[in-house]
Amino acid sequence: MTTLQHIHFSGIVTMMSVYRAKSSLYEYLTAGLISGALYKVNIGLKGMVAGGIRLMAVQMERISRRSCCGSL
């Protein structure tokens, strides 16, 4: 994940968590989808969809590793 993606991701997670007054898996998945789409916006709609799905999948993998293996 690039620095710009990380900044977008962290900002989106924080905004959603503050707005909802709780933190859950949905904030992380949504933030991965949005920041991945923003990263590929210059390619067009297909690129945005593919980038969003890819980054969301990366975040799901990281979350599952933490839950099964402790913090890595």
Side-chain angles (χ1 to χ4, degrees):
M1 192 181 319
T2 66
T3 304
L4 188 59
Q5 282 178 320
H6 185 71
I7 291 170
H8 285 149
F9 178 79
S10 297
I12 293 167
V13 168
T14 302
M15 285 189 292
M16 290 179 64
S17 297
V18 168
Y19 180 76
R20 294 184 64 211
K22 62 181 179 178
S23 182
S24 69
L25 179 64
Y26 297 115
E27 282 86 12
Y28 290 94
L29 296 179
T30 305
L33 184 69
I34 292 170
S35 52
L38 286 174
Y39 183 65
K40 295 293 184 179
V41 73
N42 62 334
I43 296 175
L45 186 59
K46 288 182 181 178
M48 288 176 64
V49 170
I53 291 171
R54 181 189 165 277
L55 196 58
M56 185 174 66
V58 168
Q59 293 304 323
M60 286 174 50
E61 181 182 344
R62 288 182 180 180
I63 290 169
S64 67
R65 280 188 193 168
R66 286 185 194 150
S67 63
C68 77
C69 306
S71 61
L72 294 174

